[in-house]
């Protein structure tokens, strides 16, 4: 009897231990699964390859697991949400679909179908890798950037974007001398600013110009064109300004293969909105571009240039609160308190509590 009691007791401890391991394992998986996962490849549970290539095409390209036990499944342009649960080493997706978790680390996720009475060589095994890419970045890369491919004279030309861009060499004689700019933001800012500074459009004159040019796979500037011009007498000067960049480009490449890149730049010198324009002057893309250029000037401590860029934003729309805050900060840094206070006061009249507090703190006793 004593032996039977000890046997039962040992079995209870044994099952309790297994149960505890399962709970701990489940808890560990719950933590590690949260995040974004990009499909790496698919094979069969026994390690054999997949004979039907269409299986790979219909499998989710990206999985996003969230802390509220909701998963986002992205396949092609379609995305759907579904609940999920983890029990030990079993992943339940929705109410019916189950997978066995073979491996789940901070960087790799491998899971296999659970189907009764199905041999291993018929069960699919999915391999995913952790990624920092967001769902919006995924859609941009897969379905927007890929559509920026333009056929011109039989060659493929890719639109200048954050994913496909050439490098740009500095022509300055200061600390930037000899520097190669290799980020999208820097290439955009440095090339745009160089063209604009050489163009030197009269400060008090109104005008707008849209230009296009191509940087070839050999780094050659070509196919310069003026798409729109408010004053054709300035076209030659603008073309000459573009030509000043011709020796400064290093071609873009995709997977090690050089490609042509098409640029479209717009230079807008309209200080005021035309009363008869019916609001058509405001372009959110241009606004955001000006705002970001101002932010980069702030990072470089070029406060005066930043103020000019923020002012262009403010002239584009009445509720440019973000630009007004940034301009006020720039004025205050330059110790031009009067102008900073003027911006904060205007924002306060528009119901901006933060601006009211800044005004009371920095301007009331001046």
């Amino acid at each position: 009897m004593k032996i039977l009691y000890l046997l039962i007791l040992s079995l209870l401890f044994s099952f309790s231990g297994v149960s505890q391991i399962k709970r701990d394992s489940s808890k560990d998986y719950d933590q590690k699964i949260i995040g974004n996962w990009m499909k790496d490849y698919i094979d069969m549970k026994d390690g054999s390859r997949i004979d039907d290539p269409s299986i790979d095409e219909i499998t989710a390209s990206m999985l996003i697991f969230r802390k509220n036990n909701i998963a986002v499944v992205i396949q092609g342009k379609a995305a759907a949400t579904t609940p999920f649960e983890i029990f030990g080493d079993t992943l339940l997706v929705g109410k019916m679909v189950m997978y066995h978790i073979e491996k789940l680390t901070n960087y790799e996720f491998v899971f296999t179908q659970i189907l009764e009475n199905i041999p291993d060589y018929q069960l699919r095994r999915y391999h995913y890798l952790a990624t920092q890419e967001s769902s919006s970045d995924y859609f941009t890369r897969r379905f927007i950037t890929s559509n920026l491919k333009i056929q011109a004279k039989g060659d493929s030309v890719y639109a200048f974007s954050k994913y496909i861009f050439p490098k740009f060499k500095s022509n300055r004689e200061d600390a930037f001398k000899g520097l190669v700019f290799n980020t999208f933001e820097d290439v955009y800012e440095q090339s745009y600013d160089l063209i604009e500074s050489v163009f030197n459009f009269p400060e008090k004159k109104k005008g707008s110009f849209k230009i296009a040019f191509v940087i070839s796979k050999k780094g050659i500037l070509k196919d310069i064109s003026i798409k729109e011009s408010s004053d054709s007498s300035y076209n030659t000067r603008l073309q000459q300004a573009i030509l000043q960049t011709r020796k400064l480009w290093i071609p873009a490449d995709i997977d090690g293969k050089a490609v042509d890149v098409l640029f479209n730049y717009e230079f807008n010198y309209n200080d005021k909105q035309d009363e008869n324009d019916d609001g058509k002057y405001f372009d959110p893309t241009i606004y955001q571009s000006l705002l970001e250029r101002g932010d980069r000037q702030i990072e470089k401590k070029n406060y005066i240039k930043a103020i000019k860029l923020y002012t262009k934003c403010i002239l584009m729309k009445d509720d440019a609160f973000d630009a007004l805050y940034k301009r006020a900060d720039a004025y205050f840094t330059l110790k031009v308190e009067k102008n900073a206070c003027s911006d904060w006061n205007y924002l306060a009249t528009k119901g901006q509590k933060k601006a009211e507090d800044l005004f009371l703190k920095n301007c009331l006793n001046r």
Side-chain angles (χ1 to χ4, degrees):
M1 186 72 179
K2 183 176 180 182
I3 294 174
L4 179 61
Y5 172 77
L6 291 174
L7 180 60
I8 293 172
L9 192 63
S10 66
L11 286 172
L12 285 173
F13 275 109
S14 175
F15 282 119
S16 174
V18 171
S19 176
Q20 183 64 41
I21 291 171
K22 286 284 188 181
R23 284 198 295 271
D24 290 345
S25 172
S26 177
K27 182 178 180 181
D28 187 47
Y29 284 157
D30 281 340
Q31 295 171 348
K32 288 183 177 178
I33 201 172
I34 302 304
N36 299 0
W37 301 89
M38 191 70 67
K39 181 177 68 178
D40 187 21
Y41 67 96
I42 307 169
D43 61 4
M44 308 310 293
K45 185 178 179 180
D46 67 353
S48 60
R49 65 183 181 85
I50 295 178
D51 294 323
D52 185 358
S54 64
I55 292 175
D56 189 68
E57 295 175 3
I58 63 175
T59 303
S61 301
M62 189 178 209
L63 299 171
I64 301 174
F65 293 93
R66 296 174 176 165
K67 291 181 179 180
N68 59 356
N69 285 97
I70 295 295
V72 180
V73 181
I74 299 174
Q75 172 54 43
K77 294 183 179 181
T81 58
T82 182
F84 76 91
E85 292 285 346
I86 294 179
F87 304 95
D89 56 6
T90 300
L91 169 65
L92 174 65
V93 178
K95 295 181 179 180
M96 300 291 293
V97 183
M98 291 194 299
Y99 300 95
H100 169 66
I101 300 175
E102 291 192 12
K103 186 177 184 180
L104 179 55
T105 67
N106 292 329
Y107 57 89
E108 186 178 7
F109 182 26
V110 181
F111 54 98
T112 308
Q113 292 176 310
I114 295 178
L115 297 172
E116 291 186 2
N117 303 318
I118 301 296
D120 286 356
Y121 68 87
Q122 292 182 358
L123 293 174
R124 293 195 288 273
R125 180 169 56 187
Y126 303 91
H127 301 255
Y128 282 75
L129 298 176
T131 176
Q132 295 298 317
E133 187 172 40
S134 67
S135 56
S136 61
D137 287 338
Y138 166 81
F139 279 109
T140 299
R141 175 174 59 82
R142 287 290 305 276
F143 305 112
I144 298 178
T145 302
S146 59
N147 290 334
L148 293 178
K149 187 176 180 181
I150 304 163
Q151 295 297 326
K153 298 179 182 179
D155 293 328
S156 296
V157 180
Y158 294 82
F160 175 61
S161 73
K162 66 183 291 187
Y163 296 100
I164 304 173
F165 59 90
K167 297 177 183 178
F168 191 73
K169 294 180 286 188
S170 173
N171 71 329
R172 295 163 59 171
E173 295 297 327
D174 54 14
F176 288 96
K177 184 176 180 180
L179 184 65
V180 174
F181 299 101
N182 57 10
T183 67
F184 169 76
E185 291 78 9
D186 283 340
V187 170
Y188 167 67
E189 178 187 343
Q190 296 297 325
S191 60
Y192 185 100
D193 287 354
L194 176 57
I195 295 171
E196 187 175 46
S197 63
V198 175
F199 182 36
N200 195 27
F201 190 73
E203 188 172 344
K204 295 184 179 181
K205 185 177 176 63
K206 292 183 181 180
S208 62
F209 304 85
K210 291 183 179 180
I211 65 171
F213 59 91
V214 171
I215 302 302
S216 77
K217 61 189 69 177
K218 294 183 179 180
I220 297 173
L221 172 67
K222 65 177 186 178
D223 299 338
I224 299 173
S225 63
I226 309 295
K227 298 294 185 181
E228 292 183 21
S229 172
S230 60
D231 189 337
S232 60
S233 66
Y234 286 89
N235 287 4
T236 300
R237 183 196 292 191
L238 182 53
Q239 288 176 324
Q240 291 173 342
I242 298 169
L243 285 169
Q244 289 297 308
T245 69
R246 65 186 182 277
K247 296 182 179 180
L248 303 176
W249 298 100
I250 299 173
D253 69 83
I254 300 177
D255 296 328
K257 183 179 180 180
V259 295
D260 292 352
V261 176
L262 172 66
F263 284 71
N264 284 287
Y265 279 169
E266 179 170 350
F267 299 92
N268 200 312
Y269 303 98
N270 292 314
D271 289 335
K272 294 183 179 179
Q273 180 176 334
D274 189 345
E275 294 179 359
N276 299 320
D277 196 28
D278 295 329
K280 294 180 181 178
Y281 170 74
F282 176 68
D283 184 324
T285 302
I286 297 175
Y287 178 89
Q288 188 62 32
S289 172
L290 290 169
L291 194 69
E292 291 174 358
R293 289 176 62 205
D295 293 345
R296 290 195 291 274
Q297 294 301 327
I298 290 293
E299 292 174 2
K300 298 176 182 179
K301 303 188 185 303
N302 295 331
Y303 299 108
I304 294 176
K305 190 163 187 177
I307 287 169
K308 290 181 178 179
L309 291 165
Y310 293 143
T311 300
K312 288 183 178 181
C313 293
I314 293 163
L315 291 171
M316 290 180 72
K317 63 174 185 174
D318 293 334
D319 59 345
F321 295 158
D322 46 1
L324 278 160
Y325 274 114
K326 292 173 184 290
R327 188 175 73 171
D329 288 342
Y331 275 133
F332 196 73
T333 301
L334 290 174
K335 300 189 183 303
V336 188
E337 290 89 350
K338 180 180 179 181
N339 290 357
C341 291
S342 176
D343 282 346
W344 287 327
N345 182 56
Y346 175 78
L347 287 163
T349 64
K350 296 295 183 178
Q352 294 289 306
K353 177 63 177 174
K354 177 183 175 182
E356 182 180 337
D357 293 341
L358 288 167
F359 182 85
L360 292 174
K361 178 182 177 180
N362 299 302
C363 309
L364 194 60
N365 297 323
R366 292 184 182 278

